[in-house]
Amino acid sequence: MQNNPALRNDWTKKEVEAIYQLPLLELIYQAATVHRTWHKPQEIQLCTLLSVKTGGCPEDCAYCGQAARYQTGIQVQALLSTDVVLAHAQKAKDVGSSRFCMAAAWREVRDNRDFDRVIDMVKGVNALGLEVCCTLGMLTEGQAERLKEAGVHAYNHNLDTSEAYYEQVISTRQFDQRVNTLHHVRKAGMTVCSGGIVGLGETPADRIAMLVTLATLPQHPDSVPVNALVRVKGTPLEHLPKVSIWDMVRTVATARIIMPAAMVRLSAGRMEMSEEEQAWCFMAGANSIFTGERETLLVTPNPGVTEDMCMLDNLGLIPMVKQNKVHESATN
Ligand code: SAM
Ligand code: DTB
Ligand code: SF4
């Protein structure tokens, strides 16, 4: 359970819908007010993402360029060596990132030598003084414990959409299996990073339902990534319309209001957003982004760190230094 009484985990769909459907500027104003109460609004967390194993994934996530069954033309890459990963982590540190997230195109972790190698990577990145995050698919309790012991701070595992819409997007696993992994992550003592994607053809009711699932977990996720669908050529969703910025803003603002202590991360899709559009998302309570010198997320383009620094400067925002753990435990 949450320790802080100001954090509610009994949100109902009706209440959250009333927030999501507020007149837009009123919604943004309320979210900005909450943001200012819980966070330093000028600070943006900079996270660096590295794909440590790319493509060839057995899952059928309809949005994903890494699913083996879609012809997306991406370069498949087996698990990188620990040295290569540590070189990337050092560069991330040099350009001011405070969190380094390693992603693998796996359905789930298997107890094999690849997992042993990921454990070594985690230890190495931790030793550099970066906050270590992993996103490796589904985990058992034992695997979660091993990651925690090796020094993983946060585990990213998105619900992606509502339970009701889930099977329209992914058929090779169930919503409940994802929720179970979130419980394993929390039980092992890692922080939970979980959010979703806007623009999969879902309705506002689906976005609201997904946010309600996250906000009614025994403890809120510590970070909530809000991804705008990146329409990858060759995936079943490539012809969907570009997501409206106001749908992104409403989702960010609602997440900010109902999970006030969480970091809300404006994740995929920034390449197709103007600086002004991103500014609306920051105003609505987003306070974290993926950036770095690689200029890619996993397989799709992302703004480079130089461009992002320029944007932060224009907006009067500053990079957040490594998260203060005392503050985290005081608010959760
Ligand atoms: N394979 C693991 C998994 O699915 O949990 C970890 C990596 S997976 C690529 C991480 C997340 O990236 C997905 O849950 C999804 O939210 C996001 N993602 C993947 N492709 C995307 C796309 N084309 N547009 C927006 N978000 C995307
Ligand atoms: C998250 O929510 N977004 C990141 C991270 N978690 C792993 C991934 C975005 C991927 C965007 C599409 C791509 O480059 O494959
Ligand atoms: Fe695989 Fe993750 Fe992509 Fe789904 S989102 S196809 S599990 S890499």
Side-chain angles (χ1 to χ4, degrees):
M1 288 295 285
Q2 314 274 174
N3 295 326
N4 188 324
L7 298 173
R8 285 184 49 196
N9 47 13
D10 58 354
W11 291 102
T12 64
K13 278 190 192 165
K14 223 173 157 187
E15 284 175 315
V16 176
E17 187 185 6
I19 295 170
Y20 184 94
Q21 299 293 7
L22 279 169
L24 184 70
L25 296 186
E26 178 59 26
L27 172 61
I28 294 170
Y29 179 75
Q30 289 192 18
T33 306
V34 171
H35 188 187
R36 274 150 183 73
T37 310
W38 288 82
H39 302 269
K40 293 181 182 154
Q42 73 276 30
E43 289 189 354
I44 300 288
Q45 180 189 40
L46 303 184
C47 310
T48 294
L49 183 60
L50 179 68
S51 184
V52 298
K53 186 265 170 181
T54 310
C57 183
E59 297 288 84
D60 70 350
C61 311
Y63 48 81
C64 187
Q66 301 197 69
R69 64 192 73 202
Y70 312 133
Q71 304 304 312
T72 61
I74 63 137
Q75 181 104 35
V76 174
Q77 167 71 62
L79 188 65
L80 296 176
S81 72
T82 305
D83 286 352
V84 167
V85 172
L86 293 185
H88 281 288
Q90 181 63 53
K91 278 191 201 151
K93 189 180 172 183
D94 294 344
V95 298
S97 261
S98 55
R99 173 178 285 206
F100 190 72
C101 183
M102 294 176 273
W106 287 333
R107 174 180 202 268
E108 74 235 310
V109 167
R110 302 263 170 89
D111 294 303
N112 58 17
R113 270 192 251 155
D114 277 356
F115 187 37
D116 297 341
R117 199 192 294 173
V118 170
I119 294 289
D120 283 342
M121 293 173 189
V122 168
K123 289 179 180 161
V125 176
N126 209 18
L128 290 174
L130 287 160
E131 234 174 48
V132 186
C133 165
C134 286
T135 181
L136 313 169
M138 295 182 284
L139 298 177
T140 63
E141 271 189 60
Q143 291 163 344
E145 279 163 18
R146 238 187 118 191
L147 287 168
K148 167 70 187 171
E149 270 163 32
V152 173
H153 175 81
Y155 196 80
N156 167 248
H157 198 66
N158 292 339
L159 296 182
D160 288 314
T161 192
S162 69
E163 182 166 16
Y165 195 60
Y166 206 73
E167 61 185 33
Q168 304 294 315
V169 182
I170 302 149
S171 78
T172 47
R173 58 173 188 252
Q174 277 148 15
F175 188 82
D176 279 357
Q177 294 178 291
R178 297 288 279 192
V179 174
N180 277 341
T181 291
L182 295 182
H183 292 312
H184 298 159
V185 169
R186 188 58 92 188
K187 200 167 165 216
M190 290 182 281
T191 68
V192 171
C193 170
S194 187
I197 308 179
V198 180
L200 300 170
E202 78 286 351
T203 61
D206 290 311
R207 290 175 205 139
I208 291 159
M210 182 190 80
L211 291 173
V212 168
T213 304
L214 293 170
T216 56
L217 288 169
Q219 195 174 333
H220 292 167
D222 304 80
S223 323
V224 180
V226 180
N227 294 278
L229 175 70
V230 181
R231 297 160 300 165
V232 179
K233 205 157 177 267
T235 62
L237 302 186
E238 74 168 300
H239 298 299
L240 282 181
K242 183 183 162 199
V243 59
S244 150
I245 189 63
W246 304 127
D247 290 347
M248 282 296 286
V249 167
R250 281 189 186 278
T251 307
V252 165
T254 306
R256 167 54 65 227
I257 292 170
I258 67 174
M259 294 174 277
M263 305 297 296
V264 177
R265 185 166 308 115
L266 184 57
S267 301
R270 289 197 304 116
M271 204 61 194
E272 291 181 74
M273 284 179 207
S274 66
E275 194 165 300
E276 293 86 338
E277 288 174 332
Q278 294 181 64
W280 279 110
C281 294
F282 298 133
M283 192 67 201
N287 60 349
S288 176
I289 56 172
F290 283 115
T291 189
E293 42 92 42
R294 275 176 71 247
E295 306 191 5
T296 48
L297 276 165
L298 298 173
V299 296
T300 64
N302 196 47
V305 70
T306 316
E307 203 178 329
D308 280 335
M309 287 303 181
C310 185
M311 170 178 75
L312 294 191
D313 204 40
N314 288 340
L315 303 180
L317 300 171
I318 53 170
M320 184 180 291
V321 288
K322 199 169 156 181
Q323 274 248 307
N324 176 343
K325 300 216 169 103
V326 177
H327 170 76
E328 271 187 19
S329 56
T331 54
N332 277 298

